[in-house]
């Protein structure tokens, strides 16, 4: 995928020379929190040059609680492989710097409320006049139109609004939040996918376009299997995708174990492994629906059997025959042999922290693996460097000049 043919001030980040599918693509990340920033990080993972533009107060994610004194753990995890620039877009001279960056960019991502970009002069129509090839991605809470368009949108607010929390809670119980910003991270994936598709289309048309991602659309899209309402069905129809009491997290002699045994093969293997082979062939339990109907009696037998070993011992015993996982701490993933074999953990050098380990390689590309990641930037860490490169670039002749 080709980017602009102009010499680029963004080529300050040579990284390790390994090309990714998006090498040569230049991204301005004006977004904050998770959805927009991590979407840009996914683009950086694939080789794009990303410059994170923050206001003087910084991305709010920097202020989130963290046991790290020098920086927020959340910010580090969401913003790897970017160059950091501080610009106050309320000031005309600093907006002018942004406009210079826009002329050189392929992509701009922000998460301002829909009414804000026009006030700052950075709405799609304004920037499209400066750079008609710009892919302009806006991340909003509720979308571009409608009565809620200018309402602040947050992950768990949208979870609660769209029924996710009601479905997560126990039947008849209180709604429950899904911790981990699942809507934000899914929206980030849609940012990366939408931007990549728009860049692909630009190769045909030569023109950029507006790309809209909202937390509302993300939260509902995540529930596509639930968002089916057939003609004639009553309100309150069953939408629970859980398949009965057997599939779930269970106590063991030590720790907890998740088991998924929905298919006949896995159900029989589970019963064999826990020493109850007759239960696997019992016609009362030979379908997922029947097992759900008899979950109380099945769970009593299952839990009694699981009490004989620890979660890790059962995990080893079940092997590949019964899908399962012992409940682990997040820290365990840093040394898990499968994670290490997939080379998903890397050590990054940071000016304030010294070094930290984090995630890399969310997608594997065989021919264009992409460059090695680098640490999330300190606030404004590369402002002078980027502006200096802009100034140098301004003195260079354009390729079309004669």
């Amino acid at each position: 995928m080709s980017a602009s043919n102009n010499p680029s001030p963004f080529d300050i980040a040579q990284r390790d020379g390994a090309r990714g599918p998006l090498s040569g693509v230049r991204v301005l990340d004006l977004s904050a929190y998770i959805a927009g920033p991590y979407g840009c990080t996914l683009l950086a993972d694939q080789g794009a040059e990303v410059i994170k533009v923050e206001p003087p107060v910084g991305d709010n994610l920097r202020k989130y609680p963290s046991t790290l004194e020098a920086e927020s753990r959340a910010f580090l995890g969401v913003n790897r492989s970017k160059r950091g620039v501080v610009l106050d877009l309320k000031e005309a001279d600093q907006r002018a710097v942004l406009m210079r960056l826009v002329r050189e960019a392929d992509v701009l991502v922000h998460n301002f409320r829909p009414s804000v970009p026009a006030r700052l002069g950075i709405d799609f129509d304004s920037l499209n006049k400066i750079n008609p090839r710009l892919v302009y991605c806006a991340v909003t809470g509720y979308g571009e139109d409608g009565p809620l368009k200018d309402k602040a949108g947050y992950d768990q607010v949208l979870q609660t609004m769209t029924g996710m929390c009601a479905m997560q809670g126990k039947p008849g119980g209180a709604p429950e939040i899904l911790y981990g910003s699942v809507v934000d991270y899914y929206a980030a994936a849609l940012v990366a996918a939408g931007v990549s598709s728009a860049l692909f289309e630009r190769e045909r048309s030569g023109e950029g376009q507006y790309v809209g991602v909202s937390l509302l659309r993300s939260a509902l899209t995540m529930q596509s299997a639930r968002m089916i309402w057939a003609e004639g069905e009553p309100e309150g129809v069953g939408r629970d995708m859980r398949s009965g009491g057997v599939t779930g997290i269970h106590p063991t002699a030590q720790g907890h174990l998740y088991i998924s045994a929905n298919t006949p093969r896995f159900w029989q293997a589970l019963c064999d492994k826990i020493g109850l082979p007759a239960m696997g062939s019992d016609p009362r339990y030979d379908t997922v629906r029947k097992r759900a109907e008899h979950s109380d009696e099945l769970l009593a037998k299952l839990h009694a059997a699981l009490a004989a070993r620890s979660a890790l011992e059962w995990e080893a015993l079940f092997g590949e025959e019964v899908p399962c996982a012992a409940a682990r701490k997040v820290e365990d993933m840093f040394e898990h042999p499968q994670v290490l074999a997939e080379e998903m953990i890397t050590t990054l050098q940071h000016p304030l922290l010294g070094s930290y380990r984090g995630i890399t390689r969310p997608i594997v590309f065989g021919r264009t693996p992409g460059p090695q990641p680098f640490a999330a930037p300190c606030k404004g860490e590369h402002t002078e460097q980027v502006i200096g490169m802009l100034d140098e670039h301004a003195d260079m002749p354009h390729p079309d000049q004669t």
Side-chain angles (χ1 to χ4, degrees):
M1 181 179 295
S2 63
S4 169
N5 291 324
N6 295 349
S8 171
F10 291 12
D11 289 338
I12 56 174
Q14 296 298 323
R15 297 157 88 175
D16 63 2
R19 290 185 59 82
L22 296 180
S23 289
V25 170
R26 303 143 197 167
V27 179
L28 296 178
D29 176 13
L30 277 63
S31 59
Y33 292 107
I34 295 176
Y38 199 67
C40 293
T41 290
L42 294 175
L43 298 174
D45 287 337
Q46 298 174 67
E49 299 289 346
V50 180
I51 291 184
K52 184 173 181 67
V53 180
E54 297 180 70
V57 296
D59 184 332
N60 286 333
L61 204 60
R62 291 187 184 272
K63 304 177 182 66
Y64 269 43
S66 174
T67 54
L68 300 173
E69 293 185 8
E71 187 58 273
S72 159
R73 192 183 313 277
F75 183 87
L76 294 175
V78 169
N79 288 283
R80 65 178 172 271
S81 301
K82 300 177 184 179
R83 302 294 178 177
V85 169
V86 167
L87 294 175
D88 186 350
L89 299 184
K90 296 178 182 179
E91 301 294 332
D93 61 332
Q94 298 196 40
R95 283 200 306 275
V97 174
L98 177 66
M99 296 309 162
R100 294 172 65 190
L101 291 169
V102 166
R103 291 187 182 93
E104 301 290 343
D106 296 287
V107 178
L108 182 143
V109 178
H110 73 72
N111 67 333
F112 297 117
R113 300 185 202 184
S115 62
V116 172
R119 292 206 305 267
L120 294 175
I122 60 171
D123 54 294
F124 172 74
D125 289 339
S126 297
L127 298 190
N128 183 252
K129 293 175 182 176
I130 296 174
N131 182 353
R133 289 175 54 83
L134 184 71
V135 172
Y136 181 104
C137 180
V139 183
T140 60
Y142 299 88
E144 296 79 11
D145 300 298
L148 300 181
K149 68 176 184 179
D150 275 311
K151 182 178 179 179
Y154 294 93
D155 182 292
Q156 294 171 5
V157 173
L158 271 299
Q159 284 189 36
T160 307
M161 173 185 174
T162 61
M164 294 178 71
C165 297
M167 294 298 296
Q168 182 71 9
K170 295 179 180 179
E176 295 181 8
I177 290 291
L178 285 75
Y179 290 102
S181 301
V182 292
V183 175
D184 279 336
Y185 279 103
Y186 187 70
L190 295 181
V191 167
V195 166
S196 297
S197 294
L199 288 169
F200 180 79
E201 191 279 334
R202 191 184 70 173
E203 294 302 297
R204 299 171 174 172
S205 67
E207 299 178 1
Q209 64 178 300
Y210 178 91
V211 176
V213 173
S214 78
L215 298 187
L216 174 60
R217 286 194 290 266
S218 299
L220 292 178
T221 300
M222 291 177 69
Q223 302 182 85
S224 293
R226 296 170 179 167
M227 293 293 293
I228 301 294
W229 201 344
E231 183 178 356
E233 283 192 306
E235 186 173 344
V237 65
R239 301 178 186 277
D240 191 345
M241 292 298 294
R242 289 170 282 193
S243 51
V246 174
T247 293
I249 296 180
H250 305 286
T252 69
Q254 182 178 353
H256 288 75
L257 182 75
Y258 180 87
I259 297 172
S260 178
N262 293 330
T263 69
R265 170 192 167 193
F266 293 143
W267 169 242
Q268 185 64 62
L270 171 64
C271 294
D272 291 344
K273 292 290 186 180
I274 63 174
L276 298 172
M279 192 167 73
S281 57
D282 192 319
R284 292 175 299 171
Y285 314 135
D286 61 4
T287 69
V288 173
R289 290 188 180 184
K290 289 181 181 179
R291 292 195 287 276
E293 292 168 359
H294 295 87
S295 61
D296 289 344
E297 59 194 75
L298 287 175
L299 286 179
K301 297 177 181 179
L302 177 63
H303 290 174
L306 292 177
R309 292 182 171 88
S310 71
L312 290 174
E313 289 171 335
W314 282 117
E315 184 185 69
L317 180 63
F318 289 161
E320 298 181 5
E321 297 182 55
V322 180
C324 68
R328 291 172 167 81
K329 304 186 299 295
V330 170
E331 288 86 350
D332 293 336
M333 290 296 96
F334 285 87
E335 302 294 342
H336 193 286
Q338 183 62 32
V339 175
L340 296 178
E342 284 289 290
E343 299 180 347
M344 295 179 64
I345 301 295
T346 189
T347 298
L348 306 175
Q349 299 301 316
H350 189 273
L352 300 179
L353 297 177
S355 68
Y356 64 88
R357 287 184 291 171
I359 289 291
T360 184
R361 286 172 57 91
I363 304 173
V364 175
F365 294 94
R367 186 169 50 80
T368 56
Q372 291 297 312
F374 55 90
C378 297
K379 188 176 71 174
E381 181 179 348
H382 306 98
T383 301
E384 293 184 5
Q385 186 181 16
V386 170
I387 293 177
M389 294 299 291
L390 275 174
D391 292 338
E392 289 181 18
H393 183 248
D395 297 331
M396 297 175 63
H398 192 280
D400 295 336
Q401 292 177 339
T402 58

